[in-house]
Amino acid sequence: DYRWQSKKIINRVDKLLDAIKDLAPDGFISDVERGFSRAPMAVRVSPYLLSLIDWTNPVDDPLRIQFIPLGSKFLPDHPKLGLDSLHEQADAPVPGLTHRYPDKALFLVIDTCPVYCRFCTRSYAVGVDTDQVEKISLKASKSRWERAFEYIASRPELEDIVISGGDAYNLRADWVRELGTSLIKIPNVQRIRFASKGLAVMPQKVLTDHDWFDAMAEVHALGRSMGKEVAFHTHFNHANEVTELSRQALNRFFDAGIIVRNQSVLLRGVNDTPESMSLLVKRLGHINVHPYYVYVHDLVQGAEDMRTTVQTAVD
């Protein structure tokens, strides 16, 4: 049940260390403690996610690499790095709406996620403050959303809106309905995409939070009735994240006719070989998820050990 997963979320370093103390050697535990003292992202992991880590070799495990930092693995940050390396705030005409490309905009509707990834591009806003970063607030706010709706309606060239954050998984069902319906009814908006890491880290929500899923299905059905596309974009990075629960959750989307696409980040030690990426793509196909984007890792504070070269991506 997603409520059990949510209730048991580990969101403090001491709780994480206590949870894994009998699973990993002492040296690993102290290494994790040093890692979080330098990390820009706070800890937030689900029991389900922890269960997928190979605790016989946590140092090299592809899920551990993504969510649990080790002090011994830190590398100096890139000299051109900034906390908001993509300058999303500079291209935001209203708070939380980045309009960089002519016909599409990124709508950051919320600043929390079901888990916190070490490599998060939005570590300037997502989650709570850490020893390294004081966050900018992009909390769910209907007045802020209204300003975004007004701006989108005033720009007829805007056709494609990504609803992100944070994570659409953390939106209440009534917020999903309100955001989706409001955007679909703007005449110039032709497509909306709900963006979420959630399917990879807590598939239980799709299977047991029926009101949330019904809201998503209703927004999708409204879009179809108006000739507009509503898609769901998720974020699997490694084949080990695809499980039987993933398949069951994706079957609900498939049965409702909702297109689900995947956006991966190329990560060192996770998916930066042809073999690992090929297996991920194959398994996504088995659960009716369309492989869509693979991003070269952005310049993210505290995550240089995961960043690959552009040449790796080309190869």
Side-chain angles (χ1 to χ4, degrees):
D1 189 288
Y2 83 98
R3 286 165 295 198
W4 187 91
Q5 289 287 326
S6 299
K7 184 178 179 180
K8 301 291 185 179
I9 280 282
I10 294 174
N11 56 10
R12 294 203 324 258
V13 176
D14 61 331
K15 288 173 63 177
L16 174 65
L17 298 178
D18 186 60
I20 65 174
K21 67 178 186 296
D22 297 326
L23 300 173
D26 291 342
F28 179 84
I29 299 295
S30 58
D31 208 354
V32 170
E33 198 164 17
R34 290 195 305 274
F36 273 111
S37 71
R38 300 179 61 181
M41 293 299 292
V43 61
R44 189 173 179 83
V45 290
S46 63
Y48 169 78
L49 187 153
L50 284 181
S51 78
L52 300 182
I53 293 174
D54 177 8
W55 291 104
T56 65
N57 184 19
V59 172
D60 297 321
D61 184 86
L63 276 79
R64 192 288 302 163
I65 290 171
Q66 295 178 64
F67 301 99
I68 302 175
L70 296 180
S72 62
K73 297 291 185 179
F74 269 74
L75 295 174
D77 285 333
H78 192 283
K80 294 292 187 181
L81 175 148
L83 188 56
D84 179 9
S85 290
L86 298 185
H87 307 293
E88 291 179 338
Q89 295 171 86
D91 285 336
V94 297
L97 186 80
T98 297
H99 185 189
R100 174 168 298 158
Y101 306 110
D103 63 348
K104 53 181 64 69
L106 170 69
F107 191 2
L108 305 177
V109 297
I110 196 169
D111 60 4
T112 61
C113 303
V115 299
Y116 293 148
C117 307
R118 290 182 54 215
F119 51 90
C120 182
T121 290
R122 299 193 185 100
S123 53
Y124 65 85
V126 172
V128 297
D129 293 348
T130 69
D131 292 344
Q132 301 294 321
V133 177
E134 186 176 342
K135 310 283 179 167
I136 291 162
S137 177
L138 289 176
K139 297 187 186 308
S141 162
K142 294 193 177 184
S143 61
R144 183 170 67 82
W145 296 349
E146 284 296 334
R147 290 180 64 188
F149 297 147
E150 291 169 6
Y151 176 83
I152 293 166
S154 75
R155 300 299 294 261
E157 73 273 24
L158 272 177
E159 299 178 349
D160 189 342
I161 309 298
V162 180
I163 300 172
S164 186
D167 196 307
Y169 232 51
N170 280 21
L171 292 170
R172 296 186 337 217
D174 58 314
W175 292 352
V176 171
R177 292 182 176 94
E178 180 175 345
L179 286 160
T181 300
S182 298
L183 288 169
I184 286 170
K185 289 185 175 179
I186 297 173
N188 46 291
V189 174
Q190 296 299 311
R191 295 171 298 282
I192 64 174
R193 298 179 258 165
F194 286 93
S196 172
K197 177 73 175 173
L199 278 171
V201 295
M202 197 188 290
Q204 293 89 341
K205 183 175 179 70
V206 173
L207 297 171
T208 57
D209 189 349
H210 302 299
D211 193 22
W212 181 89
F213 184 81
D214 289 348
M216 198 66 65
E218 288 166 22
V219 171
H220 171 260
L222 176 64
R224 285 187 70 89
S225 72
M226 298 175 68
K228 299 184 176 187
E229 182 185 79
V230 177
F232 196 87
H233 282 209
T234 193
H235 187 175
F236 290 87
N237 281 325
H238 192 272
N240 290 358
E241 297 166 17
V242 180
T243 69
E244 169 61 18
L245 283 173
S246 311
R247 187 189 65 79
Q248 292 175 25
L250 267 302
N251 276 346
R252 287 203 80 181
F253 280 93
F254 190 73
D255 289 345
I258 303 172
I259 291 171
V260 180
R261 305 188 185 104
N262 191 67
Q263 302 179 181
S264 299
V265 176
L266 200 62
L267 298 167
R268 192 191 311 184
V270 175
N271 56 19
D272 60 336
T273 65
E275 295 76 19
S276 59
M277 187 59 74
S278 296
L279 185 58
L280 171 62
V281 166
K282 191 75 170 175
R283 288 191 183 170
L284 291 173
H286 290 164
I287 60 173
N288 297 310
V289 175
H290 298 179
Y292 187 60
Y293 286 161
V294 178
Y295 294 100
V296 173
H297 196 308
D298 296 323
L299 298 177
V300 174
Q301 183 176 327
E304 191 68 11
D305 61 295
M306 288 185 286
R307 203 165 64 83
T308 64
T309 62
V310 173
Q311 188 61 52
T312 300
V314 172
D315 292 342

